[in-house]
Amino acid sequence: MNDAVIESGSLRLAQESDLIATLEAVEISADLPRAAADAAEIRAFAETLGRLDVAFWAEVTGLDALARTDGAPGARTRGQEILEWATEQGDARLASRCHALIAMMDLIGGHSGSGAEQATIAVTLLDGTELPRLRAKFLTRQALGLLFAGLLQHGFDVSRRALALADQLEDPELLAQIASNAFHAALDESMPDEARFWMRRLEAVMASSPDLEAELSDVLARGHLADNRPWDALDVLERAGDDDAATSQPETRATRMLLLAQAHHGVGNLPAARRALDRAEQITVRHALEEVASTVLEERAAVAASAADFRLAYELHRQFHQAARSRWIEARRSRVDHLFAEQNVTEALERAEQAEAAVAVDPLTKVRNRRWVEDTLPDVVRTWQAGGPWTASLAILDLDHFKLVNDRYGHAAGDDVLVAVAAALQTCGGVQHVARIGGEEFLLVLQQDADPEQVAERVLSAIRELRWPGIDGGLRVTVSVGFAGCAPGATTSALLQEADRRLYSAKRGGRDRSAGPWAE
């Protein structure tokens, strides 16, 4: 093969790699109109490279962005067509995006059971190579679907998982979206404790990012209306200003107009209430938002009654109840489908848990991996925080001079050493979790009441006592360990940095030893 062909092949690989990286950035963009346009360009370029899978991926990304702004007629059908192709090709990455698109279209169309199922499958098919922000986006959609479908405990659980990931990403807008979805669901289902939890999270987000108050105005306004404070609701909505921005979802815009109408009605400004209802109705008709449209009709009847136009109020109430009855009949007809969907959601959740468990395991040593650390350790640390200072610890452990083992005995022998060390660490008293976080680096999560100094001695002794007759009878393996204690207010990042600092202190001190807060 000549140099020109090699160079051409390398250039093509570079182009494809850049294209995929660009597409990954586009699918997590908050600028939806720009995302739709960029996805179209990526699709065209992918087709010139003959990468049909990437072209389809870009098409789905564009449809997803359009569905959340101006609407995308036929997007569900197209998503299903591309899903069939992805399934035939065994392309889980593309299939995941297709299921997420179909979920969005089902949720917009009011098909909550199917939407929850499709969103759950989308999360299940993620393989851990996706950007964390995309995982958070899919979890948020899954949580919304589960809450809409009435699977409340599952929905709130997934919402908390999405919340933890948004915390790690330090993304206040995503935090606000997750918390507001859960708050609305809790309020709808008359769950005051749950609603208060999510409102506290929203208040914390607004305290750190005051510019988000306008975006969260519908949540705050609904809370004020629920507390019979229409003046406060109106104040919040008027401060937020007009929200016909193309970046907002149609249902969000329609709901905000409905809330504005209810606030005006509450303070007695009936003409303003009617104008807001007119705008809400325009959005519901354009985007076929049946649920919001029904509530708009109900509010029109209430406004008419307040204006003493009882004939109109009666007629509007009659239309509202006819619409409600139609929805009830449709719901009764689809009850069996919904029950099947609920069963499928439950099964999909179980598959998702199994898939996530598999993804979070190091294939060589069979202990936890870095993915587990990123996803789960923050939850562990938050649990520790309730116990006061020095109630829990973690440690980072590194094999001493491990490169010499690989160089002298080969990588197969090095793998055997890693497997044996991981097994030994799991048997040490006081160690709750072991995770491999690098080539020869491990994270130890201690039991909450374990004495870290005692655990350190057990770990060092367990590794010193390992023997390697199958490799070399004279081989001795040692480790260096750095411990960090969890004090109130400590973050996961700070704990890991502290443990890493002490690990290198142990290495500088001569290796085969530990360093921890007990010695300071």
Side-chain angles (χ1 to χ4, degrees):
M1 184 179 294
N2 61 41
D3 292 342
V5 174
I6 295 173
E7 182 179 352
S8 175
S10 300
L11 177 60
R12 180 186 175 86
L13 287 173
Q15 288 176 326
E16 292 179 356
S17 177
D18 290 344
L19 191 66
I20 290 173
T22 302
L23 181 53
E24 287 177 327
V26 168
E27 66 181 351
I28 61 171
S29 172
D31 187 344
L32 299 180
R34 176 66 181 272
D38 289 347
E41 291 184 10
I42 293 171
R43 175 188 176 187
F45 188 51
E47 289 173 347
T48 67
L49 294 176
R51 286 297 302 268
L52 188 57
D53 58 330
V54 179
F56 280 150
W57 179 6
E59 183 179 356
V60 169
T61 300
L63 289 172
D64 193 281
L66 288 171
R68 290 181 287 150
T69 51
D70 292 334
R76 192 190 194 285
T77 300
R78 184 56 179 157
Q80 189 65 51
E81 292 171 352
I82 297 175
L83 176 60
E84 291 173 4
W85 184 90
T87 303
E88 291 174 359
Q89 302 297 317
D91 190 339
R93 179 178 64 185
L94 177 57
S96 175
R97 275 66 173 181
C98 290
H99 281 293
L101 171 62
I102 294 169
M104 173 57 68
M105 301 311 298
D106 284 345
L107 292 174
I108 290 174
H111 307 294
S112 56
S114 176
E117 179 186 355
Q118 293 290 333
T120 300
I121 295 171
V123 172
T124 304
L125 291 175
L126 293 173
D127 62 4
T129 62
E130 72 282 347
L131 294 177
R133 200 172 299 275
L134 181 72
R135 170 167 285 271
K137 169 183 166 181
F138 279 20
L139 283 171
T140 302
R141 191 168 298 182
Q142 180 191 13
L144 185 63
L146 292 167
L147 292 170
F148 278 5
L151 300 172
L152 300 178
Q153 193 54 58
H154 284 313
F156 290 128
D157 287 346
V158 174
S159 295
R160 283 175 168 80
R161 288 173 56 204
L163 193 73
L165 189 50
D167 272 329
Q168 292 178 46
L169 293 168
E170 298 181 345
D171 186 336
E173 292 186 359
L174 183 59
L175 284 166
Q177 181 184 356
I178 295 163
S180 60
N181 289 343
F183 171 78
H184 285 307
L187 212 57
D188 287 341
E189 298 296 333
S190 301
M191 300 173 69
D193 291 341
E194 192 74 32
R196 277 192 291 272
F197 169 82
W198 292 106
M199 180 52 75
R200 283 196 298 270
R201 289 311 309 258
L202 286 166
E203 289 169 347
V205 172
M206 284 186 289
S208 62
S209 303
D211 56 315
L212 285 178
E213 182 182 327
E215 185 175 330
L216 295 173
S217 59
D218 57 331
V219 186
L220 296 173
R222 190 174 179 204
H224 291 322
L225 288 170
D227 291 338
N228 197 29
R229 303 203 315 263
W231 284 106
D232 291 335
L234 190 60
D235 183 52
V236 167
L237 292 168
E238 289 182 340
R239 282 204 311 271
D242 198 2
D243 186 33
D244 274 334
T247 54
S248 297
Q249 296 184 27
E251 188 168 1
T252 300
R253 301 202 301 273
T255 300
R256 188 163 298 184
M257 286 298 104
L258 174 60
L259 289 169
L260 185 61
Q262 291 170 336
H264 279 305
H265 184 189
V267 301
N269 189 343
L270 302 187
R274 293 190 190 96
R275 288 193 296 271
L277 288 170
D278 289 343
R279 293 180 62 190
E281 184 176 354
Q282 291 170 2
I283 300 170
T284 62
V285 170
R286 180 179 180 186
H287 297 281
L289 302 173
E290 295 181 4
E291 289 291 332
V292 183
S294 176
T295 311
V296 168
L297 196 59
E298 184 181 27
E299 182 62 21
R300 281 196 186 280
V303 170
S306 295
D309 190 344
F310 298 113
R311 183 182 296 276
L312 177 59
Y314 170 78
E315 177 59 26
L316 290 169
H317 266 296
R318 190 178 65 80
Q319 293 176 23
F320 166 72
H321 286 294
Q322 282 182 341
R325 177 171 174 76
S326 297
R327 291 198 312 280
W328 177 80
I329 292 172
E330 184 62 31
R332 185 176 63 178
R333 288 173 180 167
S334 62
R335 178 172 175 75
V336 173
D337 290 339
H338 183 80
L339 289 174
F340 275 118
E342 184 172 342
Q343 179 181 347
N344 290 342
V345 167
T346 303
E347 293 174 356
L349 284 167
E350 292 174 355
R351 291 197 301 272
E353 291 172 358
Q354 294 168 359
E356 287 193 24
V359 167
V361 171
D362 176 55
L364 174 64
T365 61
K366 306 306 179 187
V367 297
R368 312 285 190 176
N369 64 5
R370 180 177 287 274
R371 165 72 177 277
W372 179 86
V373 174
E374 293 171 349
D375 285 354
T376 306
L377 187 59
D379 292 335
V380 174
V381 172
R382 273 190 288 272
T383 301
W384 286 349
Q385 298 291 355
W390 304 113
T391 58
S393 302
L394 56 78
I396 296 178
L397 173 151
D398 189 79
L399 275 68
D400 297 326
H401 303 300
F402 181 70
K403 185 175 184 300
L404 297 178
V405 176
N406 279 330
D407 292 346
R408 182 174 301 175
Y409 304 107
H411 288 280
D415 287 349
D416 290 342
V417 169
L418 292 170
V419 170
V421 167
L425 293 173
Q426 293 181 89
T427 64
C428 290
V431 174
Q432 184 173 11
H433 300 295
V434 179
R436 185 183 177 199
I437 57 175
E440 63 269 19
E441 252 189 354
F442 292 85
L443 174 76
L444 306 181
V445 178
L446 276 58
Q447 295 172 357
Q448 190 156 356
D449 58 352
D451 183 311
E453 189 173 8
Q454 292 180 5
V455 172
E457 288 305 316
R458 293 182 194 128
V459 167
L460 293 171
S461 297
I463 304 305
R464 289 178 192 136
E465 292 170 4
L466 290 174
R467 294 296 177 263
W468 315 94
I471 300 175
D472 184 331
L475 175 63
R476 294 293 181 270
V477 174
T478 61
V479 296
S480 300
V481 196
F483 282 78
C486 184
T491 64
T492 304
S493 176
L495 287 172
L496 293 173
Q497 289 176 17
E498 181 183 351
D500 192 60
R501 177 177 61 81
R502 290 200 173 109
L503 166 65
Y504 282 95
S505 175
K507 285 187 173 293
R508 286 194 300 270
R511 294 183 168 81
D512 188 22
R513 65 191 65 209
S514 64
W518 59 84
E520 297 179 352

